[in-house]
Amino acid sequence: MIYIIVGSVILGVLVLLFILAGVIHHNIFGKRWMPNGITKYYEKEEYVGLEAKEVSFIHKNNQLRGFWYSYPLKEQKGIIVFAHGMWGSHKAYLQEIEYFANCGYQVLGFDYTGTELSDGKNIVGLGNSLACLDSAISYVKQNYPNENISVIGHSWGAYAAANILKYHPDINHVIAMSGFVSLSRILKGLFPKYAYIIIPFIIGIDYMHCGKYSLANSKKTLKKTTQKVLILHSEDDTMVSYQINTKYLKKKLNMKNLQFLIVSGKNHNPDYTIDAIMYSKESFAKAKTLSGDEKISYLQSLDYHRMGALDSDIMSMMVRFLEK
């Protein structure tokens, strides 16, 4: 009898943890992401001569949409597929995309499932960035079979970028900015230790939504590749822990094809200027003290271009890496 009681209690706890994990997952990923109408991104019209051609391709019965960005008069060096982060679309990275286009690359910027331009009722799960990137690379290969392809990703997109070599080992170069190694490691950076027990259940829920892409681990992926990979991270990143992710990779992997560029004071955006990081930090700290129409008015008055200003030294390093 005691075994039946203990077994029933354990089963009940497991069921409750699974339900709780499902609720957490749904609250984060169970809706579409659309711009709030306040945050202002760089616009393609601001760049004279930048060409943006609409593009769409199928991913799991959904149309993913974006643009091919390029300067037609530039000597083309190859293709870059840009993988965006969470709570934003590829448009949040137009300043980076334009920079690489201006250096002679044809850049594909697209939105994942459930994000702004693309179809889908929600953003699915953590594995979705890698799943969508896999489809994007397959589309590019099919339509541009003779072009060199590189991948650049940030945050959620960096997880995808660092793991895409598992499915497309012939990618030319990979740059991953502020990325996480695996779902387990990003969740450990976000949850207190006493809540770690729920992490396997959240990963299980994510697997139910995204399949194999939720189980990718960049340590295992990068260990098996000879392609050139650059990992960028800021030591003070409060969103994706440097200690748990990139520092861990540095300790575990010592490979000639794998480079690390570690900065400080850049928080979650290692390619931004220090001024951009400080301005953003100060602005949003002040916004937290406001409410209602006053808060909205203040947010609308901010200089979002200044918040996204690029560090020319870091960007130059990335271009030199791509040209190796």
Side-chain angles (χ1 to χ4, degrees):
M1 176 65 73
I2 186 67
Y3 296 110
I4 295 175
I5 295 173
V6 171
S8 299
V9 170
I10 292 174
L11 180 61
V13 170
L14 293 176
V15 170
L16 287 174
L17 286 171
F18 187 80
I19 292 172
L20 178 59
V23 171
I24 292 171
H25 194 278
H26 178 76
N27 286 340
I28 297 173
F29 303 104
K31 53 185 176 293
R32 281 183 60 82
W33 184 89
M34 294 296 289
N36 59 20
I38 297 175
T39 303
K40 304 298 181 184
Y41 297 130
Y42 291 74
E43 299 289 342
K44 58 183 181 291
E45 290 79 13
E46 298 174 38
Y47 301 106
V48 178
L50 178 64
E51 191 172 83
K53 295 182 178 179
E54 291 185 6
V55 62
S56 66
F57 51 91
I58 294 292
H59 171 69
K60 296 183 178 180
N61 300 318
N62 285 312
Q63 286 280 347
L64 302 188
R65 299 183 180 86
F67 294 89
W68 281 110
Y69 296 92
S70 66
Y71 283 96
L73 298 181
K74 296 279 185 180
E75 182 180 348
Q76 296 299 303
K77 298 177 180 178
I79 289 173
I80 292 174
V81 179
F82 203 99
H84 67 77
M86 196 176 293
W87 315 131
S89 69
H90 84 275
K91 293 180 182 179
Y93 300 87
L94 191 59
Q95 64 273 38
E96 286 98 341
I97 289 172
E98 188 278 335
Y99 186 97
F100 292 115
N102 197 31
C103 290
Y105 292 92
Q106 188 176 12
V107 186
L108 172 60
F110 72 100
D111 294 348
Y112 307 145
T113 309
T115 300
E116 195 170 354
L117 299 178
S118 295
D119 293 347
K121 61 183 181 180
N122 57 56
I123 61 173
V124 189
L126 279 168
N128 188 45
S129 62
L130 180 55
C132 292
L133 181 59
D134 187 6
S135 292
I137 298 298
S138 296
Y139 164 80
V140 173
K141 283 183 173 181
Q142 183 177 354
N143 289 274
Y144 300 86
N146 300 318
E147 292 284 351
N148 289 326
I149 303 171
S150 296
V151 173
I152 300 175
H154 173 249
S155 191
W156 193 24
Y159 166 75
N163 281 293
I164 195 62
L165 290 163
K166 180 176 182 179
Y167 306 105
H168 299 277
D170 53 344
I171 293 295
N172 219 37
H173 294 77
V174 168
I175 299 178
M177 300 185 289
S178 307
F180 50 93
V181 172
S182 63
L183 269 61
S184 175
R185 288 191 168 269
I186 181 62
L187 293 172
K188 284 182 178 179
L190 297 174
F191 282 76
K193 287 187 177 181
Y194 65 80
Y196 280 8
I197 190 173
I198 203 170
I199 288 177
F201 295 89
I202 294 177
I203 294 174
I205 296 291
D206 209 86
Y207 178 81
M208 291 170 61
H209 289 279
C210 303
K212 60 185 179 181
Y213 302 102
S214 301
L215 304 180
N217 184 306
S218 60
K219 180 178 78 72
K220 296 178 181 178
T221 299
L222 298 177
K223 191 175 183 179
K224 297 178 180 179
T225 185
T226 57
Q227 301 300 84
K228 293 180 174 63
V229 179
L230 175 63
I231 307 290
L232 283 76
H233 214 146
S234 185
E235 294 174 316
D236 62 326
D237 192 338
T238 56
M239 189 168 295
V240 176
S241 169
Y242 165 78
Q243 300 288 333
I244 295 176
N245 294 280
T246 298
K247 187 175 182 179
Y248 166 80
L249 279 183
K250 285 188 68 178
K251 181 179 179 180
K252 294 295 183 179
L253 300 178
N254 183 19
M255 303 155 57
K256 291 183 179 179
N257 62 304
L258 178 58
Q259 298 181 38
F260 292 91
L261 178 55
I262 310 304
V263 298
S264 59
K266 300 293 192 75
N267 203 335
H268 197 50
N269 295 96
D271 61 330
Y272 284 11
T273 64
I274 290 292
D275 175 74
I277 300 298
M278 294 304 298
Y279 177 67
S280 179
K281 181 179 179 180
E282 293 167 1
S283 297
F284 289 117
K286 181 177 179 180
K288 288 182 179 180
T289 68
L290 306 174
S291 60
D293 292 341
E294 186 180 13
K295 182 175 183 177
I296 293 174
S297 178
Y298 175 72
L299 289 172
Q300 290 175 332
S301 73
L302 295 177
D303 185 348
Y304 288 97
H305 282 42
R306 182 180 172 188
M307 285 185 183
L310 300 176
D311 185 322
S312 58
D313 291 335
I314 298 294
M315 298 303 295
S316 295
M317 290 179 192
M318 284 196 273
V319 171
R320 289 197 297 272
F321 170 79
L322 292 170
E323 293 176 347
K324 289 183 180 179

